[in-house]
Amino acid sequence: MAVDNGPALLRQCSRASPEGGEAFWQPEAAQIIDVEKALIRFLAEHRGAHAQYIADERERYGVDAHIAFDFGRNPQGWMRQYIGYTQGGQRMIYGNFLPMHDEAQMRLGQPNVVCDGGPQFFGVEFDIRTQQVVRVAFNGGFGGPFIDVLEN
């Protein structure tokens, strides 16, 4: 994501996102790999607490359902946009995740902000210093939020 688009990417419509990015920069490929490895671990740690939601989604949409907790099993199922930002002096990376089936909505090179959409759309905040996911926030939908924000 181009640095100029950083502020817009952090203004998500129906989920919590980082507040007050002070400066923006482009993450390196190795840093993005770190984000995704940490995200896979983080989601695996929280998967059990959301077993009923996952089962309900599988029943409703079948085995092809885009469930954020499946990211580690199917990372190619999501498009991503990344921006580096500084918050309170800390260097962070924000990842915006959109399900691949919404490819028609994806505007390459532009911040993609989806209102509603459900928890298959999610954002990840990653602390470079600690190498940890700080927060994962999921989009809500017409029925309200489905999954609360997960924080480390």
Side-chain angles (χ1 to χ4, degrees), residues 8-19:
L9 189 63
L10 296 188
R11 284 191 302 270
Q12 292 294 318
C13 176
S14 61
R15 70 171 177 250
S17 55
E19 296 179 19

Side-chain angles (χ1 to χ4, degrees), residues 2-74:
V3 173
D4 293 348
N5 291 322
L9 189 63
L10 296 188
R11 284 191 302 270
Q12 292 294 318
C13 176
S14 61
R15 70 171 177 250
S17 55
E19 296 179 19
E22 299 154 4
F24 295 91
W25 46 276
Q26 291 183 329
E28 299 172 9
Q31 292 171 316
I32 291 170
I33 291 169
D34 291 341
V35 172
E36 293 193 4
K37 285 180 181 178
L39 175 62
I40 290 168
R41 286 190 305 271
F42 185 84
L43 291 173
E45 291 169 5
H46 291 275
R47 185 179 181 85
H50 295 87
Q52 187 59 56
Y53 165 77
I54 293 167
D56 292 346
E57 290 294 289
R58 291 262 183 266
E59 185 175 322
R60 181 184 292 162
Y61 298 109
V63 295
D64 293 332
H66 275 77
I67 299 171
F69 294 98
D70 290 343
F71 176 76
R73 296 178 186 158
N74 180 25

Side-chain angles (χ1 to χ4, degrees), residues 95-144:
N96 182 32
F97 290 70
L98 300 94
M100 190 60 86
H101 66 76
D102 277 18
E103 190 171 4
Q105 292 181 20
M106 181 76 160
R107 296 170 299 166
L108 297 176
Q110 297 297 314
N112 283 270
V113 177
V114 176
C115 297
D116 300 319
Q120 59 190 337
F121 296 85
F122 61 99
V124 177
E125 298 171 48
F126 179 80
D127 185 327
I128 291 177
R129 184 181 52 80
T130 63
Q131 293 289 292
Q132 291 188 341
V133 170
V134 175
R135 178 164 70 167
V136 176
F138 305 91
N139 280 29
F142 293 120

